[in-house]
Amino acid sequence: VSAGGTSPTELAPRILAGDVGALARGCRIVDERASGYRELLRELFPASGRARVIGVTGAPGVGKSTLTDALISELRKRGERVGVVAVDPSSPFSGGALLGDRIRMLRHSADSEVFIRSLATRGAHGGLSRSAADVLRVVEAWGATSVLLETVGVGQAELELLGVVETALVVVMPGSGDDVQANKAGILEAADVLVLNKADRPGADVAESELRLSLALSGTRLGTAPAASHHAAVSVSRTGGESGAWTAPIVRTVASRGQGLVELLTQLDAHRAWLSGSESGRGERAARVRRSLLAFLRDVVAEAVLAEATPLIDELALRVARRELDPYAASDELLAAMRGRPGLAP
Amino acid sequence: VSAGGTSPTELAPRILAGDVGALARGCRIVDERASGYRELLRELFPASGRARVIGVTGAPGVGKSTLTDALISELRKRGERVGVVAVDPSSPFSGGALLGDRIRMLRHSADSEVFIRSLATRGAHGGLSRSAADVLRVVEAWGATSVLLETVGVGQAELELLGVVETALVVVMPGSGDDVQANKAGILEAADVLVLNKADRPGADVAESELRLSLALSGTRLGTAPAASHHAAVSVSRTGGESGAWTAPIVRTVASRGQGLVELLTQLDAHRAWLSGSESGRGERAARVRRSLLAFLRDVVAEAVLAEATPLIDELALRVARRELDPYAASDELLAAMRGRPGLAP
């Protein structure tokens, strides 16, 4: 029913042909892990891996959705086909509130070359990265040349989601509190490109200095900031790398007025060129593929093992609750049973 | 060396005898998963599960550390032995900043009946809950009658951490932004007791109304709020449950002045009594033990499988990168290999 009478395998060629209706159904099947979703992914997989996948993350209020919206426009000007996957790992119940932020993006919905999808998946955290990666693959197979993965928040879940993208874009703004700044550190370290949005607000220079300090403290290499004019709303300080390493540039934008977007795209292009055109970039890309596959395998393997072993797990849980068995001994029993060699610890 | 010449198994009886030095070393061994940590946990396990384990979470700035500090004092007045485990899953690099918040707590460090430990574990997210659960067990074995697990933030990681506690206490404050409110929703739903801290600030009544609305929207049952006096800094609106279900009470506190702490402890006692004294409470407790064990098994099983299969995974990653193999097919190969029946999908 959810596939409108079309089986997942029948959907694949239609998605590959660029059919938006088929794409929407494919995304739903994959997101819900409905019957046939693995077969669908299998057929679409060879067509994935070509698009530029950009993660857009940052704390609530920094203007991520506005920036995403502006990025869509900019990419469309270039003639690109654009996909947007919006995920909100932090708040399973605030879909309504966030939808408001994303209404602006709906103006693109009349454009058949733009596809926007909110990920419905809830629950298990690792499962979220996996769902995001799966849906991204479907959108890529549809022929998107750029896909934006927009996440909300600056927590561990967002950090993991950034693992499935090619370029991680982290958005900050001037004047957010110290607490927020501090909490952003883990995310800052993961950034390939930093965007200082709302850069026309007071405190942009201070914010940029703080960003550099945070990055320095967290051990990330950072280029010296030219910051041509202190009052320019838009300035690009960037990259370099005689060493071959990528240095996260800081790009100032005022997304609501479209300022800084061209510069931002230039940096995104530069990062992509570095990934494919340099020795260290290719190494980094291979490392990301491997990391992402590892996270995926963790999730799928654990799911498979636990799904098969439900009766044993029920028994183990009972014995753990009675304190007859400690959790590590329980895991030993589970692994041994899984290998069909009962009583044998790994 | 880290055990000061004492092997993990020699540590166990000393921890069980209440030796704080042995406890500190035991926590470090377990947190770092140093040699012998499983044996140590195995020996301590029968002594765990008796303490009241309280999770304290909420956004930065709401006064969690001040509240934790006040809770320590209140529990000490009752003659309890108190453990505190502080975790910050969101910000791998902001330890320094957060330490500042926790300096207040150090005044308890002269008290031999109080043990405070920051969890050093970084990295994998599921691994964080597991480390927290492991360290909690060591602190319990030392003889703590109450253990506070303080986490920072309102993301998915915190939600998972709450899975290892008995009573989840979520702290909010008046006047935080709408975004923050919205993002708190997933955490609100997980709350057993809600604390409206800084309740002497303007907007406490509005904040309480918003809390009730958020809880109602997220489908949580909530008792009607008596809120005796609108200007009282402390008011308890609470519980009930002819249905037998637990209804998360909202407790107003001004932790910096110790206000509302007695009422808060009353609610914590009530939740504990409900867990052990009612049919639905016992069901809930059993469900939590099972959920927590499941999360633990996911983590350990995945770790074991991936650790054993490194050469195969390297090969699979290469084939996935070349688009010869999709990730689900890769997971099938891995599971088959693990079962010693190559080529056989699950």
Side-chain angles (χ1 to χ4, degrees):
Chain A
V1 169
S2 74
T6 315
S7 80
T9 31
E10 284 166 338
L11 271 181
R14 291 173 51 197
I15 293 170
L16 290 166
D19 180 334
V20 173
L23 168 60
R25 277 182 291 188
C27 285
R28 197 168 58 235
I29 287 167
V30 166
D31 188 13
E32 294 171 357
R33 295 183 192 163
S35 160
Y37 82 97
R38 290 192 180 205
E39 290 69 26
L40 179 60
L41 283 170
R42 191 157 299 174
E43 295 191 36
L44 298 179
F45 184 71
S48 67
R50 291 186 293 233
R52 173 218 310 259
V53 181
I54 301 162
V56 182
T57 197
V62 297
K64 280 179 307 300
S65 290
T66 310
L67 188 78
T68 301
D69 176 72
L71 266 173
I72 298 171
S73 301
E74 209 58 36
L75 291 163
R76 289 294 298 127
K77 278 186 206 159
R78 289 185 174 194
E80 290 208 30
R81 179 176 281 188
V82 184
V84 179
V85 178
V87 194
D88 180 12
S90 303
S91 39
F93 303 104
S94 62
L98 291 163
L99 199 60
D101 290 339
R102 290 179 178 142
I103 279 173
R104 177 193 282 256
M105 270 190 257
L106 293 179
R107 68 190 170 96
H108 294 291
S109 61
D111 181 343
S112 64
E113 297 295 300
V114 177
F115 178 80
I116 300 173
R117 163 110 197 162
S118 276
L119 208 62
T121 310
R122 302 299 181 215
H125 170 40
L128 191 60
S129 305
R130 178 177 146 199
S131 287
D134 286 348
V135 169
L136 286 174
R137 261 175 223 125
V138 181
V139 176
E140 282 188 80
W142 165 69
T145 50
S146 284
V147 189
L148 307 172
L149 176 69
E150 187 195 329
T151 70
V152 172
V154 288
Q156 195 71 31
E158 288 76 13
L159 204 55
E160 281 189 30
L161 277 166
L162 290 183
V164 306
V165 306
E166 180 183 278
T167 302
L169 196 158
V170 175
V171 191
V172 295
M173 61 175 274
S176 29
D178 284 339
D179 277 327
V180 179
Q181 287 300 119
N183 276 296
K184 236 174 266 165
I187 293 286
L188 284 189
E189 160 115 336
D192 296 308
V193 176
L194 273 158
V195 174
L196 182 60
N197 192 34
K198 306 189 184 180
D200 54 346
R201 290 204 178 179
D205 292 332
V206 172
E208 188 171 330
S209 303
E210 283 174 356
L211 272 182
R212 288 180 189 284
L213 184 64
S214 301
L215 285 164
L217 286 173
S218 70
T220 298
R221 303 156 306 272
L222 198 76
T224 46
S229 156
H230 282 295
H231 299 289
V234 174
S235 103
V236 180
S237 54
R238 89 137 232 111
T239 81
E242 288 115 52
S243 69
W246 176 256
T247 307
I250 300 178
V251 182
R252 294 195 186 195
T253 62
V254 184
S256 59
R257 294 206 302 264
Q259 291 179 329
L261 268 297
V262 172
E263 289 78 359
L264 177 54
L265 269 189
T266 303
Q267 294 303 331
L268 294 174
D269 289 342
H271 186 246
R272 183 154 223 220
W274 174 78
L275 280 175
S276 57
S278 73
E279 193 67 37
S280 51
R282 282 187 296 270
E284 171 67 21
R285 174 173 271 168
R288 287 184 190 197
V289 168
R290 193 177 186 285
R291 248 188 342 255
S292 165
L293 181 69
L294 264 179
F296 171 84
L297 291 176
R298 277 187 83 87
D299 190 54
V300 176
V301 164
E303 184 183 277
V305 171
L306 299 191
E308 284 171 26
T310 306
L312 174 58
I313 288 170
D314 287 340
E315 185 212 313
L316 295 172
L318 211 63
R319 289 164 62 199
V320 169
R322 290 196 197 118
R323 307 271 137 187
E324 297 165 9
L325 192 73
D326 75 274
Y328 283 100
S331 71
D332 288 348
E333 285 201 22
L334 179 61
L335 282 165
M338 196 197 159
R339 296 198 178 90
R341 287 173 290 163
L344 202 67
Chain B
V1 172
S2 75
T6 315
S7 79
T9 30
E10 285 166 337
L11 271 181
R14 291 174 50 197
I15 292 170
L16 290 166
D19 180 334
V20 173
L23 169 61
R25 278 182 289 189
C27 284
R28 196 168 60 233
I29 287 168
V30 165
D31 188 14
E32 294 171 357
R33 295 186 192 161
S35 161
Y37 83 98
R38 290 192 180 204
E39 290 68 27
L40 178 61
L41 284 169
R42 191 158 298 173
E43 295 191 36
L44 298 179
F45 184 71
S48 67
R50 293 187 292 234
R52 173 219 311 261
V53 180
I54 300 161
V56 181
T57 197
V62 297
K64 281 179 307 299
S65 290
T66 310
L67 189 78
T68 300
D69 176 72
L71 266 173
I72 297 171
S73 301
E74 209 57 37
L75 290 163
R76 289 294 297 126
K77 279 188 206 158
R78 289 185 174 196
E80 291 209 29
R81 179 176 282 188
V82 184
V84 179
V85 178
V87 194
D88 179 13
S90 302
S91 38
F93 304 103
S94 62
L98 291 162
L99 198 60
D101 290 341
R102 289 177 179 145
I103 280 173
R104 176 192 283 256
M105 269 190 256
L106 292 180
R107 68 189 170 96
H108 294 290
S109 62
D111 181 345
S112 64
E113 297 295 300
V114 177
F115 179 81
I116 300 172
R117 164 108 198 162
S118 277
L119 208 61
T121 312
R122 301 299 181 214
H125 170 41
L128 191 60
S129 305
R130 178 177 146 200
S131 287
D134 287 349
V135 169
L136 286 175
R137 259 175 223 126
V138 181
V139 177
E140 281 188 79
W142 165 68
T145 51
S146 284
V147 188
L148 307 171
L149 176 69
E150 188 195 328
T151 69
V152 171
V154 289
Q156 194 72 31
E158 287 77 12
L159 204 55
E160 282 189 31
L161 277 166
L162 290 183
V164 307
V165 305
E166 179 183 279
T167 302
L169 196 157
V170 175
V171 190
V172 295
M173 61 174 274
S176 29
D178 284 339
D179 277 325
V180 179
Q181 288 298 121
N183 277 297
K184 234 174 267 164
I187 292 287
L188 284 188
E189 160 115 334
D192 297 308
V193 176
L194 272 159
V195 174
L196 183 59
N197 192 34
K198 305 189 184 181
D200 54 346
R201 290 203 179 180
D205 293 332
V206 172
E208 187 170 330
S209 304
E210 283 174 356
L211 271 182
R212 289 180 188 284
L213 184 64
S214 300
L215 284 164
L217 287 173
S218 70
T220 298
R221 304 158 305 271
L222 197 76
T224 46
S229 156
H230 281 295
H231 300 290
V234 175
S235 102
V236 181
S237 54
R238 88 139 236 110
T239 81
E242 287 115 53
S243 70
W246 176 257
T247 307
I250 300 177
V251 181
R252 294 195 186 195
T253 61
V254 184
S256 59
R257 295 207 300 264
Q259 291 180 330
L261 268 296
V262 172
E263 289 78 359
L264 177 54
L265 269 189
T266 303
Q267 294 302 332
L268 294 174
D269 289 341
H271 185 247
R272 182 153 223 220
W274 174 78
L275 280 175
S276 57
S278 74
E279 192 68 37
S280 51
R282 281 187 296 268
E284 172 67 20
R285 175 173 269 170
R288 286 184 192 199
V289 168
R290 193 177 186 286
R291 246 188 344 255
S292 165
L293 181 67
L294 264 179
F296 172 85
L297 291 176
R298 278 186 84 86
D299 189 54
V300 176
V301 164
E303 185 182 277
V305 171
L306 298 192
E308 284 171 27
T310 306
L312 175 59
I313 288 169
D314 287 340
E315 184 212 314
L316 295 172
L318 212 63
R319 288 164 64 198
V320 168
R322 289 196 199 116
R323 306 271 137 188
E324 296 165 12
L325 192 72
D326 75 273
Y328 283 100
S331 70
D332 288 348
E333 285 201 23
L334 179 61
L335 282 164
M338 197 198 156
R339 295 198 179 89
R341 287 172 291 162
L344 202 68

